[in-house]
């Protein structure tokens, strides 16, 4: 069954990207943000991303206009009542996400609608438990930047229905053109189980004075052909998100390699969140 109407909760880095690719695929998109200022920020992210795509010849101006026209912004979760799929993409914070899932359960009218989370790490079963329809809840984990990255991790739980999982896969593959990989429901799924400890290890190297941030990043760019070094990547992901994911991994596995390094914790406490706040391991305009 083709999805025509998608709701996205949270229009930050990820939610705005999921909105852009969904609107590009022809879907009617509604983004729920917190207030007028965060709605304006979400709108501006989509405008900038699609504007850059036009400048680079990846998108024609008419398609850009169509994308912008297909996205509606709201601060009212009730406006997601008629959605066939809702992707939650708010801050990586379990209590906040539980509240959203509990409310979505009450407001989304279609019993067959899919309720998905874009969480980087939080077990989906816990989010499903906040609803009375755990069979309809899956993880749909997109990658940053969503318009450019080709992957979606699909996480089903012991309670998800195979039909819901199949429809979610069809949406990500056939409608959005992403490659889907499947993961069991444990913290970090596949990619972040590998990527986040790597970023944390780079922060420890820097924290221990082994090398400069620039040399750590250059090492992995030129020595391993990564498009970005790990500290640039951590800034790009958001240090708040990187720390939150580390906390979830540590909570799940209790292994020291997942514990956020003190420097990361202090930077987040200081409001140095990476690119989105203008300063992390590097400074940004
Ligand atoms: N629509 C369509 N195409 C777009 C676009 C858009 N909105 N925005 C950019 N593009 C295109 C560009 O035109 C460009 O195409 P060409 O290569 O053909 O020129 C391509 O996408 C790359 O974009 P840019 O030129 O703007 O940027 P770049 O070449 O400097 O690469 C990058 C930027 C893609 C981010 C690259 O540095 C990269 O891949 N970095 C690593 C990203 C990564 O690892 N992401 C995963 C983060 S972890 C995560 O997401 C999981 C989690 O839970 C934390
Ligand atoms: P972000 O900080 O850029 O955006 C989060 C957005 O959620 C903000 O705009 C905030 O205003 C909004 N928000 C918070 N509470 C809300 C609520 N109750 N209702 C509506 N909106 C609310 O974060 P992000 O990087 O977009 O991350 C969002 C989710 O995606 C997280 O779960 C994160 O782990 C996951 N994720 C992040 C990345 C990444 O690289 N940053 C990659 C994949 C997945």
């Amino acid at each position: 069954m083709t999805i025509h109407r998608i709701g996205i909760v949270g229009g930050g880095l990820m939610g705005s990207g999921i909105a852009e690719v969904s609107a590009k695929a022809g879907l009617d998109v509604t983004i729920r943000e917190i207030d007028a200022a965060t709605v304006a920020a979400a709108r501006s992210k989509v405008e900038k991303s699609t504007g850059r795509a036009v400048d680079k010849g990846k998108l024609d101006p008419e398609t850009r206009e169509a994308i912008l026209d297909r996205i509606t912004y709201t601060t009212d979760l009730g406006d997601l009542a008629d959605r066939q799929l809702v992707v939650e993409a708010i801050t990586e914070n379990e209590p906040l996400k539980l509240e959203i899932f509990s409310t979505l359960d009450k407001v989304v009218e279609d019993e067959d609608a899919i309720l998905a989370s874009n969480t980087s790490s939080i077990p989906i079963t816990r989010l499903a438990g906040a609803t009375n329809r755990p069979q309809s809840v899956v993880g749909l984990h997109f990658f940053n930047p969503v318009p450019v990255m080709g992957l979606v991790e699909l996480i089903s739980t012991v309670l998800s229905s195979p039909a819901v999982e199949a429809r979610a896969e069809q949406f990500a593959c056939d409608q959005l053109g992403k490659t889907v990989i499947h993961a069991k429901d444990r913290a970090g799924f596949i990619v972040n189980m590998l990527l986040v400890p790597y970023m944390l290890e780079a922060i420890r190297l820097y924290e221990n004075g082994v090398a400069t941030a620039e040399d750590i990043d250059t090492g992995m760019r030129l020595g391993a052909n990564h498009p970005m070094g790990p500290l640039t990547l951590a800034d790009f992901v958001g240090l708040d998100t990187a720390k939150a994911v580390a906390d979830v991994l540590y909570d799940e596995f209790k292994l020291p390699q997942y514990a956020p390094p003190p420097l990361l914790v202090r930077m987040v406490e200081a409001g140095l969140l990476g690119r989105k706040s203008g300063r992390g391991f590097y400074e940004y305009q």
Side-chain angles (χ1 to χ4, degrees), residues 14 17 20-21 24 45-46 48-59 67 92 118-121 141-149 153 188-189 191-192 195-196 199 226-229 232-234 236-238 241-242 245 275:
M14 296 304 292
E20 177 183 328
V21 296
K24 191 175 177 194
K45 282 190 186 67
V46 181
K48 275 195 193 136
S49 169
T50 51
R52 261 201 324 269
V54 169
D55 292 344
K56 291 195 158 195
K58 294 282 149 139
L59 203 61
I67 290 174
E92 188 76 338
N118 183 54
T119 177
S120 297
S121 57
H141 184 213
F142 291 80
F143 290 79
N144 180 21
V146 181
V148 179
M149 304 296 278
E153 279 180 316
F189 319 123
V191 174
N192 284 335
L195 195 59
V196 172
M199 288 193 280
H226 288 198
M228 284 176 168
T232 304
L233 182 61
F236 184 66
V237 163
T241 303
V245 175
R275 197 180 282 212

Side-chain angles (χ1 to χ4, degrees), residues 29 31 38 51 83 100 102 131 138-139 141 150 157 175 181 187 195 236 259 264-265 283-284:
V29 182
I31 299 184
T38 54
R83 302 289 104 178
I100 293 294
S102 163
T131 74
V138 291
H141 184 213
T157 76
Q175 294 191 247
I181 57 175
L195 195 59
F236 184 66
L264 176 62
V265 180
E283 295 205 5
Y284 302 87

